[in-house]
Amino acid sequence: MNIQVQCCGIVILLLIWYFSLRQRSLGLEAERLFLVTMGVTSFCVIMDITSIVAINCHELISAFLLALICKTYIVSLIWVGYFGLIYSSTDFIRTRAERKRQNRIYTIIVLTGTVLIYVLPIYYYLSGDIVYTYGPSCTTTYIFALLFVLVTLYKVGIRGKEMNPKRRRAIVIWMLIWIIAAVTQFLNANLLLVGFASVLGIVILFFELENPEANLDRETGAYNAHALGEYTKLLYEKRERFSAMLLALNDMAVMGNADSSIQQDMTLREIVRYVEKLKEVKIFKTLERELVFIVSDEQRLQEVFQDIKGHIEGIWEERRSDGQARVSPYYVLLPDSLLIGSVEELFLMLRHFRVGKAENPEENSILLDHRKIGHYKEREETEALIRRAIEEDRIEVFYQPIYSTKHGKFTSAEALVRIRDEKGEIVPPGRFIPVAEKNGLIARIGEIVFEKVCAFVRKHNLMEDYGMKYIEVNLSVRQCEDTRLAENYIKIMQKYHLDPSCINLEITESASIKTRKNLLENMQVLIDYGVKFSLDDFGNGESNLNYIVDMPVSIVKFDRDMSQAYFANQKAKFVMEASMHMIHEMQLEIVSEGVETKEQMEAISALGIDYIQGYYFSRPIPEAEFLEFIKKGNRDASAVPETAAEVQSLQQSPESIPR
Ligand code: C2E
Ligand code: MG
Ligand code: MG
């Protein structure tokens, strides 16, 4: 009976071999270890049959050869256990070094078992149909096999959460079958079940996990997203360079009634079928229905890109003329995988650039070179920095005093945001504001700054005790898009019982009509409440006079470039003078920003500008220092520093921000 069971095992294994090898392989670690385990199991079953035959024919062969055959069979059993254990740890052993270290211990154990089994004696029992082996050699086999089974179960128990749940389940079932088979065989030596139990293990693994079909996408025949993750993980682990291309079919407008996802899959299938004919390209489909092509190097990448692009253009040219479908492909090319540190980063980046605009719209593609990846990483780091700063309350507000030429003292200040990083160093807004504008975090920053300003004004009675008339607070264009902005800001002012006249919000020119509409609505609510507005950055190239006409602002701020150009260039001088007259005619006031020297200050004052802001008086400074500055600067009516020493003392600032 036993030989029949083992023969069944062989047939099952042959079938699994056939189905496994029929599909193309990706060479994944688990896939490779599964094939090795199946190889050892096949050898084990063959040796099982050979040993039964050998015992039956013991008169025909030498005792040494008989022992060798029987021992080789039981040795192969513990090797199945050994590979089963290694296979089961593929999910949670991530680094090659860790794998090597762990495998070394198991290898020592399996080699010790092998030597012991070969050295210790073995006995045979043969009576009619019943054949089995026993003795110290067999007991050693049980001990070592059980050891591997228990270690496997233990590992799966403690690291199960990190494992693929299917793999965890399959391995536990396999090990339990083995234990049942081993106990049954131990108690009933004539039932040779252990070898067959290994075959059952392979069957379970194959159907649960290692069926190569599991790595394929049914709709297109490409490898699926799971396979993409595993494959790229493997390449990164081995530090094997590769090049990749992501193809996204954006704005797929489908004609007819077909469901668009079905239509998309049909289109993708068509592309996959074409690319399958190209050499050395691995094709994957992502969960977002994009295709990712992986090739060995940049040269091949360019060839494949041109080829696919040409093909797609060709077929859509035909379709377009038929009026069937319109598709705009978008290609993201990564020439060198090692420009990126990990698989996680790779996918985040492909996703990020996939929605980005092509540099060249004709090309519809983007090549991720060193520079672009560097920018991307910097942006990611800055975003993380902003998020941490918000969470850990490291957003600070500095104040830059504004001098009133009419009153001859400081009557206002601009609140300017700063982030203090983990090391306590100040990060200037030039680094994080553009990032925050892009990802929308500016709304949160703006609100934090506004609340801090209100709290500061209230706490120190800036109006009554320091002679301040108002504080200027910057509003980003993104914030103005939010229809609840006015409501939120009013709530904050009410929370601190602030008179709205002590707030002046700085806005800049906004490009889109929609933003402008929302901005105007917000402005109206706030103006009705009593808040005033300034137009920031006038003269920096993007501003125009019409904007002043349209916007209900009270103050116009001349940009630093405009203030500086006044001294460098005769034409700019005329422009500034003419602008000033016009703005004054409109009954608006003017602040000149970026005034750095005494000469500039005097000339601009003489020109008739109402307020002056610049390094000449002070850089933006922290709260305590600002209070000190105002107290000292406004002590007498004429706060304008006269001597060089006075200028220097006012310009001293802890802020070491290179501009
Ligand atoms: P801004 O609103 O035009 O602010 C004036 C900038 O000019 C400040 O730079 C200030 O330090 C700098 N500045 C003032 N006087 C001089 C001078 O004499 N010489 C030179 N070289 N620079 C001078 P800062 O603080 O680095 O801010 C840069 C920009 O970041 C601001 O330009 C504003 O657009 C933005 N920003 C700052 N704080 C906030 C905020 O709370 N919210 C928003 N949305 N944007 C902010
Ligand atoms: Mg400003
Ligand atoms: Mg400005």
Side-chain angles (χ1 to χ4, degrees), residues 189-202:
N190 58 348
L191 283 176
L192 305 185
L193 292 176
V194 174
F196 191 71
S198 315
V199 177
L200 291 184
I202 295 293

Side-chain angles (χ1 to χ4, degrees), residues 16 18 49 61 103 105-106 136 164 178 218 224 226 289 380 394 463 477 483 500 551 564 618 631 633:
I16 298 181
Y18 169 74
I49 297 169
I61 54 174
N103 288 359
I105 303 170
Y106 299 149
N164 174 343
W178 246 36
R218 279 164 197 263
N224 57 22
H226 167 77
R289 292 201 153 77
E380 289 291 297
R394 281 188 280 101
M463 309 300 132
V477 173
T483 45
M551 289 290 145
Q564 298 278 332
S618 168
K631 230 188 235 165

Side-chain angles (χ1 to χ4, degrees), residues 414 474 506 536:
E414 178 170 3
N474 290 283
E506 292 190 4
D536 203 357

Side-chain angles (χ1 to χ4, degrees), residues 129-160:
D129 250 6
I130 301 170
V131 181
Y132 61 87
T133 51
Y134 62 99
S137 185
C138 290
T139 313
T140 310
T141 310
Y142 278 116
I143 293 169
F144 276 85
L146 193 66
L147 182 69
F148 281 122
V149 169
L150 293 181
V151 174
T152 307
L153 285 175
Y154 173 72
K155 285 269 168 188
V156 171
I158 56 168
R159 309 208 48 182

Side-chain angles (χ1 to χ4, degrees), residues 440-460:
L441 281 173
I442 191 68
R444 188 75 201 103
I445 296 178
E447 220 170 271
I448 293 174
V449 169
F450 189 67
E451 176 142 12
K452 286 196 184 242
V453 170
C454 291
F456 179 59
V457 172
R458 169 62 33 243
K459 185 171 170 204
H460 297 281

